[in-house]
Amino acid sequence: MSALELRGISKSFRGLKAVTGASFEVTPGAIHGLIGPNGAGKTTIFNMVAGVYAPDEGEILFDGRPVHGLRPDQICAAGIGRTFQIVKPFAGLSVLDNVVVGALLREKRVSAAKTHAAQILERLGLAPKRDLPASSLTLPDRKRLEVARALATRPKLLLLDEVMAGLRPTECDQMVAVFRELNRAEGLTILLIEHVMRAVMALAQRIVVLNYGKIIARGAPDEVVRDPAVLECYLGEEAEV
Amino acid sequence: MPVEIYLNVAASGLLTGLVYGLMALGLSVIFGVVRVVNFAHGEMMTLAMFLALVLFNALGLDPLVTLVPIAGVLLVFGYLLQIGLINPFINRPEHSQFMLLVAVALILVNAQLIIFGPDAQGIRTRYSFDSFQLGPLIVDAAKVYAAGAALVVAAALFAFFRYTLLGKAIRACADNYHGALVVGLNVKRLYALTFGLGAACVGATGAMLMAVIDVTPAIGPAYTLLAFVIVITGGLGSMPGALLGGLLIGLTEALGGVLFTPSAKSMFAFGLLVLVLLFRPQGILGRKTG
Amino acid sequence: MIGRLTEGVPRRALALLAALFLLLLVFPAFASGYLLAVGFLILYFAFVGQAWNIMMGFAGQLSLGHSLYVGLGAYAAAALYVHFGVSPWIGLGASIGISMLAGAAIGFLAFRFGVAGVYFAILTIAFAEFARIGFDHFRWVQGSSGFFLPVANYTQNDLWNLRGSPRMFYYLMLALTAGAFVLCHALLRSRLGYYWLAIRESPEAAEALGVNLFRYKMAAVVISAAMTALAGVMFAFYYNNLFPEQIFHISRSIELILGPIIGGIGTLVGPIVGAFLLTGLAEGLREVMLRLGIDVPGVKQVFYGICLLLVVMFLPDGVWPPIAKKLGLRR
């Protein structure tokens, strides 16, 4: 059974079709990439999976259970965590407290949540900064915090929305390593939207390509990258990877 | 009760409503462009009313005449307020701005209390007791003149925004702050001018109302609330909406006062407000901001 | 439990708090009648400011109609006492219940229909105004003529019926304020507190982490309303007269938020510092004016307005945070 399955998902905004008839599956324990030009509808799909809005048509199944139309907090409780394209730290809280908010979903007591949060910060290399206000972090650290928070909710599926944007190549590689490790050690299923091809090629085992709201290609990274339809719309005819 | 009474009350309500509408228009312009919630709106109006009172008592000038210089004074006041206090606040969180104007309102209303005292004061013009008769309708002359003046000022404001270069520039700022900056518009000055214009509306309204009702400092906050109810009902940021809202509220209040007890009439305005906030927060003529 | 509450609090802060509490405890021993009344007022505003702070400072919901809960609380307990002889200790149950219902109604309407920010603030004002006008016509509690509690000459304090000397009221208010302080401290460290702060900082991010926004915003409104109702009960039994025009008036709502805003929204100590500063300075100003022979209504309010203006312009986080830094209580 797939971890996540989209069946015929469509969404329009005031007459503009953002996504039409999208269907794909994400296998448990796999890392899938969702790519496509700007405005292709990737974040719209994410937002539908994450419960920000309901699809106009189609179904979304998580572990076989329908989750389309649920509220974001219900989706999180079901086991889907997400990060935001534009990071949203709880600026007035400390780094640790940010993650505690996430951990409180699964821990009854604040003390247990703090312990769990501290462990996660350790994994993501943020432990030395745990007592600093979140507002004082650099962008790469904020991205890591965003991931840490989502991880604290013990998700089975993690949705990463352009988490590499704005990071330098070395920072990007560090993040890739973190995700690889999480995927390997805990079997965390990951679905990521990315423009940074370096990260997509390094992480994704399968890729889905979106253009103008429709899926135009899917498959293993090296297949997709050579698909003429994909090359034409997204990577440009002369592009090399 | 005979139908004539309801008709008269309704007519009276509509006329007063036009004046309210002008006041709300000022608020709408300020919010629509500068995005500031002017919590001191009613207090600025009572300021204008007191000015009209003083000019009448000292120089015997009719408020419908002094409304022009009073609007001018309020224009300057609004301009300076925006430039001095509010412009530095554009990037602060919403509730900071709000509190700023709450503070201004507090200072204004109590300064008026200190200077003029709490008692109601009014003026008697030569037409205070006149009335017009149109078939079954008997309407106060003062209200007719005030409503007429309100229409003229509103029309002038519409024309300004529609046809003048300055008006268009202001609308550009409202539509797109950064875009306006990029094309070289001095947005801060334009914001100040807009606040000034909104204040001028309120100033004109104050002068007009002085011909119709008595003033005490305490009615300031009540009118601020009324202005909000009107603007939200008609549509925040919509100029015709403000006038429509004014008419609606004027009518509701008047009829409510006659059908129930006069002192309960504001309850209807608030009831309407709650309904609008719940079911159509953009107001009757407003656009959904997305 | 005391250990858990004080865990993580800097020693210096605890020492200062203890010193302050002791000072307040012995204050009535050397205070004149007038100063005692001022002391009561300061504690009253500290308490009610703390209650408001829960909604705004913690959960980020701006209420400008909090006088609604003060009034409902006051009238409920007063009416039960005057009409049925019910002790206010029992009557406060009704006060809290009614205020919580009102808060729940406002919260439900607002949050279900997505009324937020400025619109929410205006909604709260509308409800308070509705109550003001409504109670003006409420015959059972004498409407606009005013509702009076019987004040007999007493030689002893009747704690059960809240009839007594100013000193009794002072200590009651001190207990309430101290209790509120401890409660808010505990709340901030609980799951409720964390979720509230998260909602305040970024509702979207909070939701994505599994926080049910509706439930927790409602909790903030209802808890705030309940606490404020208690202030209403104290108000009724201390002043012994209630007029809708006064108790539900928007200036009451604004008055009670001045303390937390000037002291520091979202901080525990802010409302207390704010109450001390504002009321203390205002009374000082009044003294000065009396000596000079000026007795004009409105001067105190202008003073409040100017304070508010200055704080909002130059110290947006309130007066307390910079002081806390200086005292070494914060990073």
Side-chain angles (χ1 to χ4, degrees), chain A residues 155-183:
Chain A
K156 285 181 251 170
L157 166 67
L158 186 60
L159 303 174
L160 299 170
D161 196 347
E162 295 197 38
V163 91
M164 306 294 173
L167 297 183
R168 290 195 301 261
T170 34
E171 292 160 348
C172 173
D173 289 342
Q174 281 164 0
M175 279 291 239
V176 166
V178 167
F179 293 132
R180 274 237 191 90
E181 176 59 24
L182 284 167
N183 175 253

PDB file of all heavy atoms in Angstrom, chain A residues 155-183:
ATOM      1  N   PRO A 155       6.304  12.552  12.259  1.00  0.00           N
ATOM      2  CA  PRO A 155       5.526  12.282  11.057  1.00  0.00           C
ATOM      3  C   PRO A 155       5.947  10.968  10.404  1.00  0.00           C
ATOM      4  O   PRO A 155       7.077  10.516  10.595  1.00  0.00           O
ATOM      5  CB  PRO A 155       5.875  13.460  10.155  1.00  0.00           C
ATOM      6  CG  PRO A 155       7.249  13.856  10.561  1.00  0.00           C
ATOM      7  CD  PRO A 155       7.378  13.531  12.027  1.00  0.00           C
ATOM      8  N   LYS A 156       5.022  10.390   9.649  1.00  0.00           N
ATOM      9  CA  LYS A 156       5.394   9.230   8.832  1.00  0.00           C
ATOM     10  C   LYS A 156       5.764   9.708   7.437  1.00  0.00           C
ATOM     11  O   LYS A 156       6.509   9.075   6.719  1.00  0.00           O
ATOM     12  CB  LYS A 156       4.225   8.253   8.761  1.00  0.00           C
ATOM     13  CG  LYS A 156       4.046   7.474  10.067  1.00  0.00           C
ATOM     14  CD  LYS A 156       2.889   6.495   9.980  1.00  0.00           C
ATOM     15  CE  LYS A 156       1.745   6.968  10.837  1.00  0.00           C
ATOM     16  NZ  LYS A 156       0.497   6.240  10.652  1.00  0.00           N
ATOM     17  N   LEU A 157       5.179  10.851   7.074  1.00  0.00           N
ATOM     18  CA  LEU A 157       5.474  11.446   5.781  1.00  0.00           C
ATOM     19  C   LEU A 157       5.852  12.894   6.017  1.00  0.00           C
ATOM     20  O   LEU A 157       5.164  13.601   6.742  1.00  0.00           O
ATOM     21  CB  LEU A 157       4.237  11.367   4.866  1.00  0.00           C
ATOM     22  CG  LEU A 157       4.241  12.226   3.595  1.00  0.00           C
ATOM     23  CD1 LEU A 157       5.297  11.744   2.614  1.00  0.00           C
ATOM     24  CD2 LEU A 157       2.873  12.190   2.936  1.00  0.00           C
ATOM     25  N   LEU A 158       6.941  13.327   5.410  1.00  0.00           N
ATOM     26  CA  LEU A 158       7.383  14.711   5.575  1.00  0.00           C
ATOM     27  C   LEU A 158       7.302  15.424   4.238  1.00  0.00           C
ATOM     28  O   LEU A 158       7.849  14.951   3.238  1.00  0.00           O
ATOM     29  CB  LEU A 158       8.818  14.743   6.113  1.00  0.00           C
ATOM     30  CG  LEU A 158       9.410  16.100   6.493  1.00  0.00           C
ATOM     31  CD1 LEU A 158       8.585  16.764   7.584  1.00  0.00           C
ATOM     32  CD2 LEU A 158      10.846  15.944   6.952  1.00  0.00           C
ATOM     33  N   LEU A 159       6.596  16.563   4.222  1.00  0.00           N
ATOM     34  CA  LEU A 159       6.492  17.368   3.004  1.00  0.00           C
ATOM     35  C   LEU A 159       7.467  18.524   3.115  1.00  0.00           C
ATOM     36  O   LEU A 159       7.360  19.336   4.023  1.00  0.00           O
ATOM     37  CB  LEU A 159       5.065  17.929   2.858  1.00  0.00           C
ATOM     38  CG  LEU A 159       3.913  16.936   2.832  1.00  0.00           C
ATOM     39  CD1 LEU A 159       2.588  17.686   2.824  1.00  0.00           C
ATOM     40  CD2 LEU A 159       4.000  16.048   1.609  1.00  0.00           C
ATOM     41  N   LEU A 160       8.424  18.603   2.191  1.00  0.00           N
ATOM     42  CA  LEU A 160       9.415  19.671   2.242  1.00  0.00           C
ATOM     43  C   LEU A 160       9.193  20.624   1.082  1.00  0.00           C
ATOM     44  O   LEU A 160       9.295  20.225  -0.075  1.00  0.00           O
ATOM     45  CB  LEU A 160      10.837  19.087   2.158  1.00  0.00           C
ATOM     46  CG  LEU A 160      11.209  18.137   3.292  1.00  0.00           C
ATOM     47  CD1 LEU A 160      12.521  17.424   2.984  1.00  0.00           C
ATOM     48  CD2 LEU A 160      11.339  18.919   4.589  1.00  0.00           C
ATOM     49  N   ASP A 161       8.871  21.888   1.402  1.00  0.00           N
ATOM     50  CA  ASP A 161       8.561  22.855   0.366  1.00  0.00           C
ATOM     51  C   ASP A 161       9.748  23.773   0.101  1.00  0.00           C
ATOM     52  O   ASP A 161       9.971  24.729   0.812  1.00  0.00           O
ATOM     53  CB  ASP A 161       7.325  23.680   0.780  1.00  0.00           C
ATOM     54  CG  ASP A 161       6.719  24.415  -0.387  1.00  0.00           C
ATOM     55  OD1 ASP A 161       7.371  24.488  -1.449  1.00  0.00           O
ATOM     56  OD2 ASP A 161       5.593  24.936  -0.229  1.00  0.00           O
ATOM     57  N   GLU A 162      10.490  23.435  -0.966  1.00  0.00           N
ATOM     58  CA  GLU A 162      11.652  24.235  -1.388  1.00  0.00           C
ATOM     59  C   GLU A 162      12.565  24.573  -0.225  1.00  0.00           C
ATOM     60  O   GLU A 162      12.920  25.725  -0.005  1.00  0.00           O
ATOM     61  CB  GLU A 162      11.191  25.512  -2.094  1.00  0.00           C
ATOM     62  CG  GLU A 162      10.467  25.210  -3.380  1.00  0.00           C
ATOM     63  CD  GLU A 162      10.369  26.411  -4.287  1.00  0.00           C
ATOM     64  OE1 GLU A 162      11.323  27.199  -4.364  1.00  0.00           O
ATOM     65  OE2 GLU A 162       9.312  26.554  -4.922  1.00  0.00           O
ATOM     66  N   VAL A 163      12.950  23.544   0.471  1.00  0.00           N
ATOM     67  CA  VAL A 163      13.727  23.755   1.686  1.00  0.00           C
ATOM     68  C   VAL A 163      15.173  24.168   1.370  1.00  0.00           C
ATOM     69  O   VAL A 163      15.855  24.729   2.217  1.00  0.00           O
ATOM     70  CB  VAL A 163      13.656  22.473   2.555  1.00  0.00           C
ATOM     71  CG1 VAL A 163      14.782  21.533   2.225  1.00  0.00           C
ATOM     72  CG2 VAL A 163      13.536  22.784   3.997  1.00  0.00           C
ATOM     73  N   MET A 164      15.616  23.934   0.136  1.00  0.00           N
ATOM     74  CA  MET A 164      17.003  24.279  -0.217  1.00  0.00           C
ATOM     75  C   MET A 164      17.155  25.693  -0.753  1.00  0.00           C
ATOM     76  O   MET A 164      18.280  26.160  -0.936  1.00  0.00           O
ATOM     77  CB  MET A 164      17.531  23.316  -1.281  1.00  0.00           C
ATOM     78  CG  MET A 164      17.413  21.862  -0.937  1.00  0.00           C
ATOM     79  SD  MET A 164      18.466  21.430   0.472  1.00  0.00           S
ATOM     80  CE  MET A 164      17.944  19.752   0.760  1.00  0.00           C
ATOM     81  N   ALA A 165      16.033  26.348  -0.994  1.00  0.00           N
ATOM     82  CA  ALA A 165      16.113  27.679  -1.613  1.00  0.00           C
ATOM     83  C   ALA A 165      16.924  28.623  -0.742  1.00  0.00           C
ATOM     84  O   ALA A 165      16.709  28.718   0.458  1.00  0.00           O
ATOM     85  CB  ALA A 165      14.707  28.237  -1.807  1.00  0.00           C
ATOM     86  N   GLY A 166      17.852  29.313  -1.332  1.00  0.00           N
ATOM     87  CA  GLY A 166      18.640  30.292  -0.591  1.00  0.00           C
ATOM     88  C   GLY A 166      19.838  29.709   0.131  1.00  0.00           C
ATOM     89  O   GLY A 166      20.581  30.435   0.785  1.00  0.00           O
ATOM     90  N   LEU A 167      20.041  28.407   0.026  1.00  0.00           N
ATOM     91  CA  LEU A 167      21.183  27.822   0.718  1.00  0.00           C
ATOM     92  C   LEU A 167      22.375  27.712  -0.235  1.00  0.00           C
ATOM     93  O   LEU A 167      22.214  27.477  -1.422  1.00  0.00           O
ATOM     94  CB  LEU A 167      20.833  26.417   1.230  1.00  0.00           C
ATOM     95  CG  LEU A 167      19.723  26.312   2.270  1.00  0.00           C
ATOM     96  CD1 LEU A 167      19.552  24.878   2.728  1.00  0.00           C
ATOM     97  CD2 LEU A 167      20.035  27.190   3.474  1.00  0.00           C
ATOM     98  N   ARG A 168      23.560  27.864   0.327  1.00  0.00           N
ATOM     99  CA  ARG A 168      24.749  27.685  -0.507  1.00  0.00           C
ATOM    100  C   ARG A 168      24.974  26.190  -0.736  1.00  0.00           C
ATOM    101  O   ARG A 168      24.461  25.369   0.033  1.00  0.00           O
ATOM    102  CB  ARG A 168      25.951  28.290   0.202  1.00  0.00           C
ATOM    103  CG  ARG A 168      25.909  29.816   0.270  1.00  0.00           C
ATOM    104  CD  ARG A 168      27.284  30.351   0.639  1.00  0.00           C
ATOM    105  NE  ARG A 168      27.714  29.809   1.921  1.00  0.00           N
ATOM    106  CZ  ARG A 168      27.605  30.479   3.063  1.00  0.00           C
ATOM    107  NH1 ARG A 168      27.083  31.678   3.074  1.00  0.00           N
ATOM    108  NH2 ARG A 168      28.009  29.925   4.179  1.00  0.00           N
ATOM    109  N   PRO A 169      25.740  25.833  -1.757  1.00  0.00           N
ATOM    110  CA  PRO A 169      25.936  24.409  -2.069  1.00  0.00           C
ATOM    111  C   PRO A 169      26.373  23.558  -0.865  1.00  0.00           C
ATOM    112  O   PRO A 169      25.845  22.457  -0.687  1.00  0.00           O
ATOM    113  CB  PRO A 169      27.016  24.436  -3.155  1.00  0.00           C
ATOM    114  CG  PRO A 169      26.803  25.730  -3.847  1.00  0.00           C
ATOM    115  CD  PRO A 169      26.338  26.702  -2.788  1.00  0.00           C
ATOM    116  N   THR A 170      27.287  24.062  -0.047  1.00  0.00           N
ATOM    117  CA  THR A 170      27.711  23.242   1.094  1.00  0.00           C
ATOM    118  C   THR A 170      26.565  23.048   2.074  1.00  0.00           C
ATOM    119  O   THR A 170      26.356  21.959   2.620  1.00  0.00           O
ATOM    120  CB  THR A 170      28.872  23.904   1.875  1.00  0.00           C
ATOM    121  OG1 THR A 170      28.686  25.319   1.822  1.00  0.00           O
ATOM    122  CG2 THR A 170      30.206  23.518   1.302  1.00  0.00           C
ATOM    123  N   GLU A 171      25.802  24.127   2.299  1.00  0.00           N
ATOM    124  CA  GLU A 171      24.670  24.025   3.216  1.00  0.00           C
ATOM    125  C   GLU A 171      23.639  23.062   2.656  1.00  0.00           C
ATOM    126  O   GLU A 171      23.050  22.255   3.385  1.00  0.00           O
ATOM    127  CB  GLU A 171      24.030  25.403   3.430  1.00  0.00           C
ATOM    128  CG  GLU A 171      24.932  26.360   4.196  1.00  0.00           C
ATOM    129  CD  GLU A 171      24.541  27.825   3.992  1.00  0.00           C
ATOM    130  OE1 GLU A 171      23.717  28.108   3.083  1.00  0.00           O
ATOM    131  OE2 GLU A 171      25.061  28.687   4.724  1.00  0.00           O
ATOM    132  N   CYS A 172      23.445  23.140   1.347  1.00  0.00           N
ATOM    133  CA  CYS A 172      22.505  22.248   0.682  1.00  0.00           C
ATOM    134  C   CYS A 172      22.934  20.803   0.879  1.00  0.00           C
ATOM    135  O   CYS A 172      22.115  19.947   1.232  1.00  0.00           O
ATOM    136  CB  CYS A 172      22.459  22.630  -0.800  1.00  0.00           C
ATOM    137  SG  CYS A 172      21.514  21.518  -1.820  1.00  0.00           S
ATOM    138  N   ASP A 173      24.199  20.545   0.692  1.00  0.00           N
ATOM    139  CA  ASP A 173      24.707  19.174   0.858  1.00  0.00           C
ATOM    140  C   ASP A 173      24.484  18.680   2.282  1.00  0.00           C
ATOM    141  O   ASP A 173      24.158  17.512   2.503  1.00  0.00           O
ATOM    142  CB  ASP A 173      26.203  19.109   0.530  1.00  0.00           C
ATOM    143  CG  ASP A 173      26.453  19.282  -0.969  1.00  0.00           C
ATOM    144  OD1 ASP A 173      25.490  19.097  -1.738  1.00  0.00           O
ATOM    145  OD2 ASP A 173      27.584  19.603  -1.358  1.00  0.00           O
ATOM    146  N   GLN A 174      24.665  19.587   3.253  1.00  0.00           N
ATOM    147  CA  GLN A 174      24.442  19.186   4.653  1.00  0.00           C
ATOM    148  C   GLN A 174      22.995  18.765   4.868  1.00  0.00           C
ATOM    149  O   GLN A 174      22.713  17.747   5.512  1.00  0.00           O
ATOM    150  CB  GLN A 174      24.768  20.344   5.600  1.00  0.00           C
ATOM    151  CG  GLN A 174      26.249  20.522   5.851  1.00  0.00           C
ATOM    152  CD  GLN A 174      26.549  21.882   6.464  1.00  0.00           C
ATOM    153  OE1 GLN A 174      25.637  22.691   6.703  1.00  0.00           O
ATOM    154  NE2 GLN A 174      27.818  22.150   6.713  1.00  0.00           N
ATOM    155  N   MET A 175      22.071  19.560   4.336  1.00  0.00           N
ATOM    156  CA  MET A 175      20.647  19.225   4.471  1.00  0.00           C
ATOM    157  C   MET A 175      20.347  17.888   3.808  1.00  0.00           C
ATOM    158  O   MET A 175      19.615  17.060   4.360  1.00  0.00           O
ATOM    159  CB  MET A 175      19.778  20.294   3.802  1.00  0.00           C
ATOM    160  CG  MET A 175      19.574  21.511   4.647  1.00  0.00           C
ATOM    161  SD  MET A 175      18.537  21.132   6.067  1.00  0.00           S
ATOM    162  CE  MET A 175      17.216  22.255   5.814  1.00  0.00           C
ATOM    163  N   VAL A 176      20.922  17.681   2.619  1.00  0.00           N
ATOM    164  CA  VAL A 176      20.694  16.427   1.900  1.00  0.00           C
ATOM    165  C   VAL A 176      21.141  15.261   2.767  1.00  0.00           C
ATOM    166  O   VAL A 176      20.440  14.248   2.885  1.00  0.00           O
ATOM    167  CB  VAL A 176      21.455  16.431   0.549  1.00  0.00           C
ATOM    168  CG1 VAL A 176      21.511  15.034  -0.027  1.00  0.00           C
ATOM    169  CG2 VAL A 176      20.770  17.375  -0.426  1.00  0.00           C
ATOM    170  N   ALA A 177      22.281  15.438   3.416  1.00  0.00           N
ATOM    171  CA  ALA A 177      22.795  14.367   4.280  1.00  0.00           C
ATOM    172  C   ALA A 177      21.827  14.078   5.412  1.00  0.00           C
ATOM    173  O   ALA A 177      21.567  12.918   5.750  1.00  0.00           O
ATOM    174  CB  ALA A 177      24.157  14.777   4.829  1.00  0.00           C
ATOM    175  N   VAL A 178      21.285  15.129   6.013  1.00  0.00           N
ATOM    176  CA  VAL A 178      20.331  14.957   7.115  1.00  0.00           C
ATOM    177  C   VAL A 178      19.128  14.148   6.654  1.00  0.00           C
ATOM    178  O   VAL A 178      18.700  13.188   7.305  1.00  0.00           O
ATOM    179  CB  VAL A 178      19.876  16.325   7.667  1.00  0.00           C
ATOM    180  CG1 VAL A 178      18.674  16.168   8.568  1.00  0.00           C
ATOM    181  CG2 VAL A 178      21.008  17.011   8.396  1.00  0.00           C
ATOM    182  N   PHE A 179      18.578  14.522   5.495  1.00  0.00           N
ATOM    183  CA  PHE A 179      17.384  13.829   5.020  1.00  0.00           C
ATOM    184  C   PHE A 179      17.679  12.376   4.662  1.00  0.00           C
ATOM    185  O   PHE A 179      16.897  11.482   4.947  1.00  0.00           O
ATOM    186  CB  PHE A 179      16.782  14.554   3.817  1.00  0.00           C
ATOM    187  CG  PHE A 179      16.224  15.902   4.160  1.00  0.00           C
ATOM    188  CD1 PHE A 179      16.528  17.001   3.385  1.00  0.00           C
ATOM    189  CD2 PHE A 179      15.417  16.079   5.269  1.00  0.00           C
ATOM    190  CE1 PHE A 179      16.026  18.244   3.702  1.00  0.00           C
ATOM    191  CE2 PHE A 179      14.914  17.312   5.599  1.00  0.00           C
ATOM    192  CZ  PHE A 179      15.217  18.399   4.812  1.00  0.00           C
ATOM    193  N   ARG A 180      18.834  12.172   4.030  1.00  0.00           N
ATOM    194  CA  ARG A 180      19.220  10.803   3.688  1.00  0.00           C
ATOM    195  C   ARG A 180      19.265   9.944   4.939  1.00  0.00           C
ATOM    196  O   ARG A 180      18.779   8.813   4.953  1.00  0.00           O
ATOM    197  CB  ARG A 180      20.615  10.795   3.059  1.00  0.00           C
ATOM    198  CG  ARG A 180      20.653  11.039   1.602  1.00  0.00           C
ATOM    199  CD  ARG A 180      21.354   9.866   0.899  1.00  0.00           C
ATOM    200  NE  ARG A 180      21.618  10.227  -0.482  1.00  0.00           N
ATOM    201  CZ  ARG A 180      22.733  10.826  -0.879  1.00  0.00           C
ATOM    202  NH1 ARG A 180      23.691  11.097  -0.011  1.00  0.00           N
ATOM    203  NH2 ARG A 180      22.882  11.146  -2.157  1.00  0.00           N
ATOM    204  N   GLU A 181      19.861  10.524   5.993  1.00  0.00           N
ATOM    205  CA  GLU A 181      20.016   9.796   7.244  1.00  0.00           C
ATOM    206  C   GLU A 181      18.649   9.475   7.856  1.00  0.00           C
ATOM    207  O   GLU A 181      18.386   8.362   8.286  1.00  0.00           O
ATOM    208  CB  GLU A 181      20.865  10.639   8.210  1.00  0.00           C
ATOM    209  CG  GLU A 181      21.019  10.042   9.589  1.00  0.00           C
ATOM    210  CD  GLU A 181      21.653   8.669   9.582  1.00  0.00           C
ATOM    211  OE1 GLU A 181      22.369   8.354   8.620  1.00  0.00           O
ATOM    212  OE2 GLU A 181      21.391   7.903  10.526  1.00  0.00           O
ATOM    213  N   LEU A 182      17.759  10.478   7.889  1.00  0.00           N
ATOM    214  CA  LEU A 182      16.421  10.272   8.459  1.00  0.00           C
ATOM    215  C   LEU A 182      15.662   9.203   7.677  1.00  0.00           C
ATOM    216  O   LEU A 182      14.987   8.345   8.253  1.00  0.00           O
ATOM    217  CB  LEU A 182      15.616  11.574   8.415  1.00  0.00           C
ATOM    218  CG  LEU A 182      15.992  12.603   9.455  1.00  0.00           C
ATOM    219  CD1 LEU A 182      15.374  13.943   9.110  1.00  0.00           C
ATOM    220  CD2 LEU A 182      15.524  12.172  10.830  1.00  0.00           C
ATOM    221  N   ASN A 183      15.826   9.230   6.381  1.00  0.00           N
ATOM    222  CA  ASN A 183      15.136   8.272   5.537  1.00  0.00           C
ATOM    223  C   ASN A 183      15.668   6.867   5.765  1.00  0.00           C
ATOM    224  O   ASN A 183      14.921   5.908   5.894  1.00  0.00           O
ATOM    225  CB  ASN A 183      15.286   8.689   4.073  1.00  0.00           C
ATOM    226  CG  ASN A 183      14.702   7.673   3.120  1.00  0.00           C
ATOM    227  OD1 ASN A 183      15.426   6.950   2.440  1.00  0.00           O
ATOM    228  ND2 ASN A 183      13.391   7.612   3.072  1.00  0.00           N
TER     229      ASN A 183
END
